[in-house]
């Protein structure tokens, strides 16, 4: 059993000292109920040989000193001194009475995970799902080919096997903490996939191609046509955070097109491929979306883009809020040093995807 130099104890002794409940002992690992979160299922894993611990539910982890310090609410220096007094040559009683921290009873929102973590979890999630025949037919009506649907990783929101999907993600080593769309049940400690409406799942990809968020195009439209996969207001849930959606944009491109929506960008780019109008797209997940646009301007400048073709829906000609957003985008882009090229077409085709379908797929 390994010991840290100058520490007269190992992590198993500290687990016993603190009274942390061990559910299963494999000889090399202890599976414990985490004392730092509302854990009822033994999510804390203690590796005896390495003298380290980690809770797969709340993310707390570290070595012997971190475990003692976090539990007793002291710094690492004090933890070292107290453990030396407790387990040193003279032994003795603990210098303080260690009390478990009260488990949270309020709804806790986790900070959003990194783009790398979200991309890995969402990519694995989409790989477990399929696109139902109804959605395939609807997308074919929109002009997409089957191979394009697969390339875009469009999927149907799951309605069954949700527990099995979550289990499979965990077995693959995916992190669910801080990933919008996942939360933890307060009573059971089980992770849950939060689906709030049926529809087509659309990956929202950043400039590196990573999936930062997932939009859902709803089958039944009430107040809105889209929603973002989220677990806000759930226990250990996370609020969604979309990014500018990039498709066909590469370093060295001088021109990109700007429009609204993940699907609109994907369709327009697919339709234009191989034509004189082939060009990468940036889709903002909403109108207006100025913070996303500011990020897009910085990223486009960093890869050498010079001109932005503004191709928002043609209804800007009749909708005041769309016109104001379009004008603001042009103003912000020009102020950032881009050549701004507003593109106008007839209202017979509302979006750029409708326009490009008419030009390149309906012939």
């Amino acid at each position: 059993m390994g010991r840290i130099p100058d520490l007269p104890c190992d992590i198993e002794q500290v687990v016993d000292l603190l009274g942390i409940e061990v559910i299963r002992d494999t000889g090399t690992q202890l599976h414990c109920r985490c004392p730092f979160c509302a854990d009822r299922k033994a999510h804390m894993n203690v590796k005896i040989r390495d003298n380290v611990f980690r809770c797969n539910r709340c993310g707390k982890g570290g070595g012997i000193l971190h475990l003692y310090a976090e539990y007793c609410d002291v710094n690492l220096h004090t933890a070292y001194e107290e453990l030396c007094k407790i387990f040193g040559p003279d032994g003795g009683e603990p210098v303080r009475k260690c009390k478990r921290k009260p488990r949270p009873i309020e709804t806790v929102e986790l900070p959003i995970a990194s783009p790398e973590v979200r991309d890995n979890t969402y990519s694995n999630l989409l790989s477990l799902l399929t696109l139902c025949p109804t959605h395939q037919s609807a997308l074919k009506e929109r002009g997409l080919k089957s191979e394009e649907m697969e390339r875009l990783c469009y999927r149907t929101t799951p309605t069954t096997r949700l527990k099995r999907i979550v289990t499979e993600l965990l077995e693959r080593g995916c992190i669910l903490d801080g990933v919008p769309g996942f939360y933890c049940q307060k009573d059971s400690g089980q992770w849950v996939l939060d689906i709030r409406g049926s529809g087509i799942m659309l990956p929202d990809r950043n400039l590196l191609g990573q999936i930062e968020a997932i939009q859902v195009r709803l089958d039944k439209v009430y107040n809105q046509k889209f929603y973002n996969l989220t677990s806000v207001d759930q226990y250990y849930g996370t609020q969604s955070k979309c990014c500018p959606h990039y498709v066909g944009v590469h370093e060295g491109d001088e021109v990109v097109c700007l429009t609204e929506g993940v699907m609109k960008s994907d369709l327009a780019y697919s339709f234009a491929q191989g034509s004189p109008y082939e060009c990468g797209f940036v889709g903002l997940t909403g109108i207006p979306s100025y913070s996303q646009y500011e990020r897009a301007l910085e990223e486009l400048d960093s890869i050498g883009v010079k001109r932005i073709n503004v191709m928002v829906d043609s209804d800007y000609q009749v909708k005041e809020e769309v016109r104001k957003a379009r004008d603001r985008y042009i103003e912000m882009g020009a102020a950032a040093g881009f050549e701004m090229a507003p593109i106008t077409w007839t209202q017979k085709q509302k979006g750029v995807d409708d326009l490009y379908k008419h030009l390149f797929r309906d012939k």
Side-chain angles (χ1 to χ4, degrees):
M1 197 180 298
R3 294 179 184 273
I4 292 180
D6 300 326
L7 257 185
C9 60
D10 55 51
I11 200 165
E12 188 174 14
Q13 290 174 301
V14 174
V15 168
D16 291 339
L17 170 70
L18 300 178
I20 295 173
E21 187 175 359
V22 179
I23 303 300
R24 186 160 61 96
D25 183 349
T26 67
T28 58
Q29 298 185 40
L30 305 177
H31 298 271
C32 310
R33 284 183 176 161
C34 178
F36 309 123
C37 64
D39 177 22
R40 300 189 180 188
K41 292 288 186 177
H43 286 89
M44 191 170 86
N45 182 25
V46 178
K47 294 185 178 181
I48 297 173
R49 183 175 180 178
D50 297 328
N51 284 303
V52 295
F53 77 97
R54 186 181 189 280
C55 176
N56 294 318
R57 187 172 185 275
C58 68
K60 297 284 187 185
I64 295 174
L65 292 179
H66 298 91
L67 177 60
Y68 186 89
E70 183 70 29
Y71 196 104
C72 297
D73 197 21
V74 297
N75 60 36
L76 294 178
H77 179 73
T78 301
Y80 175 81
E81 290 185 337
E82 294 190 0
L83 287 174
C84 285
K85 289 179 181 179
I86 295 167
F87 292 102
D90 298 329
E93 295 297 319
V95 297
R96 66 169 69 234
K97 185 177 181 181
C98 298
K99 295 183 179 180
R100 290 181 180 240
K101 293 182 178 180
R103 292 177 175 174
I105 57 175
E106 300 294 331
T107 297
V108 178
E109 182 176 321
L110 294 179
I112 195 164
S114 68
E116 291 77 16
V117 167
R118 281 179 277 160
D119 176 59
N120 181 64
T121 299
Y122 286 146
S123 296
N124 277 278
L125 170 63
L126 295 174
S127 74
L128 296 171
L129 306 178
T130 60
L131 192 63
C132 74
T134 300
H135 288 152
Q136 290 183 40
S137 297
L139 289 170
K140 284 182 180 179
E141 286 290 321
R142 296 285 301 264
L144 273 186
K145 301 174 183 177
S146 297
E147 59 269 23
E148 291 171 330
M149 299 176 205
E150 186 58 33
R151 175 179 57 80
L152 293 169
C153 286
Y154 286 1
R155 298 290 188 265
T156 297
T157 50
T159 55
T160 59
R161 297 176 52 251
L162 294 181
K163 288 185 178 180
R164 180 58 199 152
I165 290 169
V166 170
T167 299
E168 177 66 25
L169 291 174
L170 292 172
E171 289 176 351
R172 292 185 180 189
C174 295
I175 297 173
L176 306 185
D177 312 53
V179 179
F182 295 92
Y183 70 93
C184 199
Q185 288 182 330
K186 186 183 296 185
D187 295 333
S188 66
Q190 293 182 331
W191 283 97
V192 178
L193 174 57
D194 191 358
I195 299 296
R196 303 189 177 189
S198 64
I200 303 174
M201 303 173 74
L202 315 170
D204 179 18
R205 298 182 183 274
N206 62 23
L207 187 57
L208 299 177
Q210 298 168 326
I211 305 174
E212 287 198 23
I214 291 181
Q215 269 201 338
V216 177
R217 189 182 193 280
L218 292 166
D219 294 329
K220 295 182 179 180
V221 178
Y222 297 103
N223 295 326
Q224 57 186 25
K225 188 183 295 184
F226 297 89
Y227 85 93
N228 303 320
L229 200 63
T230 183
S231 47
V232 67
D233 298 330
Q234 298 283 13
Y235 192 69
Y236 279 92
T238 306
Q239 186 173 3
S240 65
K241 185 177 181 181
C242 291
C243 65
H245 175 67
Y246 294 88
V247 55
V249 178
H250 308 97
E251 187 166 1
D253 290 348
E254 291 194 0
V255 182
V256 299
C257 298
L258 175 74
T259 191
E260 53 190 276
V262 172
M263 180 181 283
K264 198 163 294 185
S265 305
D266 288 340
L267 267 60
Y269 178 71
S270 293
F271 298 159
Q273 281 189 303
S275 77
Y277 294 91
E278 181 174 339
C279 185
F281 270 85
V282 181
L284 305 178
T285 57
I287 289 286
S289 188
Y290 300 124
S291 61
Q292 271 188 39
Y293 185 51
E294 287 177 348
R295 171 178 167 178
L297 291 175
E298 292 179 2
E299 293 173 339
L300 293 174
D301 180 63
S302 72
I303 63 172
V305 171
K306 305 299 182 186
R307 191 180 81 200
I308 300 176
N309 295 335
V310 182
M311 307 185 77
V312 302
D313 285 0
S314 63
D315 61 3
Y316 80 88
Q317 300 172 64
V318 294
K319 289 187 176 180
E320 181 70 10
E321 66 275 15
V322 180
R323 184 192 63 77
K324 286 183 178 179
R326 178 178 182 266
D327 291 347
R328 179 64 177 146
Y329 291 153
I330 295 170
E331 178 185 328
M332 291 171 65
F338 292 91
E339 176 189 347
M340 303 303 293
I343 309 297
T344 302
W345 59 89
T346 173
Q347 291 185 50
K348 188 174 182 180
Q349 284 85 37
K350 179 184 175 184
V352 63
D353 55 330
D354 302 315
L355 174 66
Y356 279 14
K357 178 176 180 290
H358 172 71
L359 292 174
F360 309 123
R361 289 284 167 95
D362 291 344
K363 301 300 182 182

